[in-house]
Amino acid sequence: MVNVGTDIDDLGGTRYHIDASGSLNESGTLRGRTVMVKQDTESSRTFADGSNQERDRFLGYVVVEGDISDWGLWSAHYERTHDKAQLDSGAWLDSEGNVIGNPDLIRDMSWAFIDNEVENIGADFTYFINYDWTLSTSYNYQEMSRHRFDSLPGSTSTTATDGTYVVKPFDRHDKWKHHTFHVDLNGDFSALGMQHQTLFGVNGKLSTYSQHRINANTQTIVPGQGTPSYPDFDADATARRVRSESQYYGVYAHDLMTINDQWQLLAGIRFDKNYEDDLDADGNVEAKGVGDASAFSPKFGIIYHPAANGSIYANYSESFTPLSADVLSDGTLVRFDPEESRQYELGTKWELFDNDLMLTGAIFDIEKSNILIDDYDSNNEQITTQGGKQRHRGAEAGAQGRIGDQWFVMATATYLDAEYTEHDQDLKGKTPTNVPEWSSSVWTRYSVTDYTALNLGMIYQGDRWADTGNTIKMDAYTRFDAGASHQVKSGDVTWDFRFNIENLFDKEYFVGSGGSSVDNNGVLTDVHYGDERRFKFSINAAF
C-alpha cells in the first residue's frame, strides 16, 4: 500500500508526504512501513526588514516487524526529525491590554532561529506465554540536539509609549540523550469469584543533558531607525556550560476485576523514583542527589453497566511527574520538585440507535501541586519559579453520530473553573492563563454523493487571562472552518482532492499567550494572534 500526496496554501506553504507499507516476504511474516514528510511554511507576520517568518520540517520513519512462529512478535524502528524555524515572540500588549505598535510585527531579528534535530532508534518484543498471559518489552534511544540562536527581544521603560525595545542575543546549544525501557506482564485469570485483567510492569529512563551558551551585547532598537546588525560574539567571552544526568524508574500493578455483567472494579498502585546529579565539564559527578524524589501513586475506580450499551464510572488517581531543570541567564542550574496531582472523576458513556450515536459526559476535580510559573527578576530577565497549587473543577460532554446515511456530526462542550488555591506570589484565587471558563466545538460532514462531501466546523473559546496576575484578558472568539472533498478512482489508484478554508470569516482573535506575567516595564510579551483566513488544497493518491 502506497499513499503519496501534497498540500499547498495561499501563502506558498507546501507539504509533501509518502507512506508505504506492506509485506516484505511472500508468507507475510515480515512486514514494513516507511513514512517521509517534508513541509515548508510561511507566516503572514513580518520582521522589521520586511521578510516573512519561515519554517522547514522533515520527518522520516521506518519500522520493520516480524512474527516468531506463533509465540512471539518483534519490531524495530528508526525515526529522524529536523525542524528549523525563525523565532517569533508574538504581539506585545501594554498593561491595559492594548497592542503596542503594529500587531503583525515580529520583534525578533530575522537572523534568529531555533534548529531541532531528533533521532529515535528502538525495538519491541512481545512473547505470548499462553492464551491468557503476554510479556512485552521495549527499548528506545533518543538523541535530541537544539541550536537556539536568539535575539531575545525585551521591553524598555518607554516601549509602551514609543515602541523602543532591546535585543539581548545569545547562541545556545542543548543536547539530550534518553535511554527508555519498559517490561509489562499482562494476564487474564479467574479468582475469588471474579475475572481479573492484570498488569504488572516496570519502566525507566536514563538521561543526560548538556548546555553551552554565549551571550552577546545588548542593543537598542528604535522603530524606523533600522535594525541591529548580525551580533558579534566575542571569542574570549565566557561560555556557560551546564551538564546533568538523571535516572527515573517506575514499578506498577493494575487489576481490572469483573464481578458480573453490571459491575467492575479497578485498583492500581505505582511507585516512582527519580535521581538527579550535576556533572562537571568532564562528566564527573559534581553534586549528587540534588533532585532525588519518590512517590506512591494509587488509582481506584468502579464501573457500572446498567445496560449493554452504557456505563457509569467513578475513579480516583494520583500522579507524579519529574520536571526538567531551568538554566538562568547567568548559567545557574535551577532544579524543581516533581509535579504531583490528584484527580476525581465521575462519568458516563452510551451507544444509542444501533451504535449510530455515542454520548459521553464527565465531571472532574483535579488538583496540581509544585506547579511552574514564569516571572521576571529585578533585572527584567524572565525566570521560572515553583510553588503553590492549582485546582481545576469542571464538566465536559460530547456527542458524535450519524443523522441518516449522509450526515455525520461531532460536538463537544467543556466548563472549567480553575484557580490557584495556594501560591507564594499573591496568585491565590486567580485563574491560570489560557484557561477559558467555557469552550466548545462542532464539526459536521455531509456526503453529497459516495465520492463528494462537504464539511463545516466551529470552535468557540471563552474569555481567558493572558497574564498570571489576571490584569489582561483575551476576548472570547468563535471561528468557523469549511471545506470540500472529492474522490476519484482510476484503475488501481484512488485520488483524493480536498479544499479547506480555515477561519472562514477572517476573524481576528488571540489564540493564546505564553503564560507569563506583565514585566517590570508594564509590557506583556508572547501573545499570539490566530491565523487570518487561510486557503489550503491537497491531492493524495493511494495505490
Side-chain angles (χ1 to χ4, degrees), residues 233-297:
F233 290 94
D234 187 348
D236 296 326
T238 301
R240 294 163 181 170
R241 294 179 173 87
V242 174
R243 299 188 66 182
S244 65
E245 66 179 13
S246 63
Q247 301 176 42
Y248 167 78
Y249 302 98
V251 181
Y252 44 91
H254 292 172
D255 186 10
L256 177 62
M257 297 162 276
T258 301
I259 301 173
N260 52 41
D261 291 340
Q262 284 77 43
W263 292 96
Q264 291 179 297
L265 298 176
L266 173 65
I269 187 69
R270 180 183 179 95
F271 175 74
D272 294 287
K273 178 68 176 178
N274 190 64
Y275 304 88
E276 295 186 52
D277 301 325
D278 289 343
L279 307 180
D280 61 20
D282 298 320
N284 301 312
V285 176
E286 189 173 54
K288 188 175 181 61
V290 291
D292 292 1
S294 62
F296 283 96
S297 303

Side-chain angles (χ1 to χ4, degrees), residues 80 257 383 400 454 466:
R80 180 178 181 272
M257 297 162 276
I383 59 173
Q400 64 178 44
L454 304 175

Side-chain angles (χ1 to χ4, degrees), residues 436-478:
E437 187 176 27
W438 290 97
S439 61
S440 63
S441 66
V442 179
W443 182 85
T444 181
R445 184 176 188 271
Y446 182 77
S447 299
V448 181
T449 69
D450 291 340
Y451 303 101
T452 304
L454 304 175
N455 58 73
L456 180 66
M458 182 276 291
I459 298 174
Y460 170 78
Q461 291 280 304
D463 294 340
R464 295 139 294 139
W465 292 108
D467 67 310
T468 56
N470 289 183
T471 61
I472 299 175
K473 182 173 287 187
M474 296 180 291
D475 291 336
Y477 70 88
T478 303

Side-chain angles (χ1 to χ4, degrees), residues 245-525:
E245 66 179 13
S246 63
Q247 301 176 42
Y248 167 78
Y249 302 98
V251 181
Y252 44 91
H254 292 172
D255 186 10
L256 177 62
M257 297 162 276
T258 301
I259 301 173
N260 52 41
D261 291 340
Q262 284 77 43
W263 292 96
Q264 291 179 297
L265 298 176
L266 173 65
I269 187 69
R270 180 183 179 95
F271 175 74
D272 294 287
K273 178 68 176 178
N274 190 64
Y275 304 88
E276 295 186 52
D277 301 325
D278 289 343
L279 307 180
D280 61 20
D282 298 320
N284 301 312
V285 176
E286 189 173 54
K288 188 175 181 61
V290 291
D292 292 1
S294 62
F296 283 96
S297 303
K299 181 176 184 178
F300 303 100
I302 184 170
I303 307 171
Y304 172 58
H305 301 272
N309 61 334
S311 63
I312 301 170
Y313 65 90
N315 62 50
Y316 170 82
S317 63
E318 296 181 6
S319 68
F320 170 93
T321 306
L323 300 174
S324 299
D326 187 30
V327 183
L328 303 182
S329 58
D330 64 0
T332 303
L333 185 68
V334 180
R335 296 195 178 277
F336 301 109
D337 295 328
E339 182 182 279
E340 298 181 2
S341 69
R342 61 107 182 112
Q343 174 176 333
Y344 297 93
E345 183 177 1
L346 176 65
T348 185
K349 300 179 181 180
W350 292 86
E351 294 181 355
L352 307 174
F353 307 115
D354 294 327
N355 298 330
D356 281 343
L357 176 64
M358 176 179 288
L359 301 176
T360 61
I363 56 175
F364 53 86
D365 186 334
I366 304 171
E367 186 176 74
K368 295 182 179 181
S369 58
N370 295 332
I371 55 176
L372 300 183
I373 297 292
D374 289 331
D375 201 357
Y376 290 87
D377 62 16
S378 59
N379 297 319
N380 210 35
E381 298 280 356
Q382 192 172 58
I383 59 173
T384 302
T385 63
Q386 183 178 43
K389 295 181 179 180
Q390 281 184 11
R391 189 175 186 183
H392 297 247
R393 290 174 291 185
E396 57 186 9
Q400 64 178 44
R402 295 187 175 277
I403 303 175
D405 296 331
Q406 297 172 287
W407 194 4
F408 178 83
V409 179
M410 180 170 61
T412 63
T414 302
Y415 167 77
L416 189 58
D417 176 20
E419 67 173 352
Y420 294 98
T421 57
E422 297 178 18
H423 207 276
D424 298 336
Q425 300 177 10
D426 297 327
L427 296 181
K428 184 176 180 180
K430 297 188 183 298
T431 302
T433 59
N434 298 305
V435 179
E437 187 176 27
W438 290 97
S439 61
S440 63
S441 66
V442 179
W443 182 85
T444 181
R445 184 176 188 271
Y446 182 77
S447 299
V448 181
T449 69
D450 291 340
Y451 303 101
T452 304
L454 304 175
N455 58 73
L456 180 66
M458 182 276 291
I459 298 174
Y460 170 78
Q461 291 280 304
D463 294 340
R464 295 139 294 139
W465 292 108
D467 67 310
T468 56
N470 289 183
T471 61
I472 299 175
K473 182 173 287 187
M474 296 180 291
D475 291 336
Y477 70 88
T478 303
R479 193 193 82 188
F480 289 88
D481 302 329
S485 63
H486 182 67
Q487 194 177 86
V488 177
K489 293 187 177 181
S490 177
D492 294 332
V493 181
T494 299
W495 295 88
D496 189 68
F497 302 89
R498 296 179 183 271
F499 177 70
N500 292 295
I501 306 174
E502 296 181 357
N503 196 0
L504 180 64
F505 300 112
D506 204 19
K507 176 74 173 179
E508 184 177 285
Y509 62 95
F510 286 120
V511 68
S513 75
S516 183
S517 60
V518 175
D519 70 15
N520 299 335
N521 296 314
V523 176
L524 180 66
T525 65

Side-chain angles (χ1 to χ4, degrees), residues 14-253:
T14 59
R15 179 180 182 273
Y16 305 95
H17 76 268
I18 180 170
D19 185 346
S21 60
S23 298
L24 302 180
N25 59 3
E26 292 185 3
S27 64
T29 57
L30 189 63
R31 301 167 294 277
R33 182 185 181 189
T34 184
V35 177
M36 287 188 290
V37 180
K38 180 67 171 68
Q39 183 177 20
D40 301 313
T41 60
E42 186 170 309
S43 169
S44 60
R45 290 171 54 78
T46 57
F47 296 98
D49 62 7
S51 62
N52 296 89
Q53 182 197 32
E54 296 182 349
R55 184 169 200 165
D56 301 326
R57 294 175 176 174
F58 170 80
L59 167 66
Y61 175 79
V62 61
V63 60
V64 178
E65 68 173 21
D67 300 324
I68 307 175
S69 185
D70 59 353
W71 57 265
L73 176 69
W74 67 270
S75 68
H77 64 268
Y78 172 78
E79 177 182 349
R80 180 178 181 272
T81 304
H82 183 209
D83 187 353
K84 184 175 182 179
Q86 293 170 292
L87 298 174
D88 181 2
S89 58
W92 290 11
L93 309 182
D94 63 21
S95 57
E96 301 297 323
N98 302 309
V99 178
I100 300 173
N102 183 353
D104 292 328
L105 172 65
I106 302 176
R107 290 178 174 82
D108 304 77
M109 298 296 99
S110 59
W111 41 257
F113 66 85
I114 185 167
D115 190 352
N116 291 319
E117 287 198 30
V118 182
E119 284 190 293
N120 283 291
I121 186 168
D124 299 79
F125 173 72
T126 302
Y127 173 44
F128 305 107
I129 301 173
N130 54 39
Y131 184 79
D132 296 319
W133 290 89
T134 302
L135 179 69
S136 62
T137 184
S138 70
Y139 166 79
N140 189 81
Y141 172 72
Q142 181 187 85
E143 185 169 310
M144 176 179 175
S145 61
R146 174 183 296 165
H147 182 195
R148 188 182 186 100
F149 192 63
D150 202 330
S151 55
L152 194 62
S155 70
T156 70
S157 60
T158 63
T159 295
T161 56
D162 62 14
T164 300
Y165 64 100
V166 296
V167 293
K168 304 176 182 179
F170 65 84
D171 191 14
R172 170 175 159 178
H173 293 262
D174 300 86
K175 177 167 282 190
W176 295 262
K177 294 181 180 180
H178 302 294
H179 299 265
T180 60
F181 68 90
H182 95 278
V183 179
D184 283 352
L185 177 65
N186 291 272
D188 295 347
F189 61 92
S190 297
L192 303 176
M194 296 180 289
Q195 185 66 29
H196 298 261
Q197 293 176 268
T198 58
L199 165 65
F200 303 96
V202 59
N203 70 330
K205 180 169 73 172
L206 287 72
S207 304
T208 61
Y209 168 70
S210 63
Q211 182 192 118
H212 177 274
R213 170 172 170 160
I214 300 178
N215 294 335
N217 294 326
T218 299
Q219 302 180 57
T220 301
I221 299 179
V222 180
Q225 297 186 15
T227 59
S229 59
Y230 195 80
D232 183 16
F233 290 94
D234 187 348
D236 296 326
T238 301
R240 294 163 181 170
R241 294 179 173 87
V242 174
R243 299 188 66 182
S244 65
E245 66 179 13
S246 63
Q247 301 176 42
Y248 167 78
Y249 302 98
V251 181
Y252 44 91

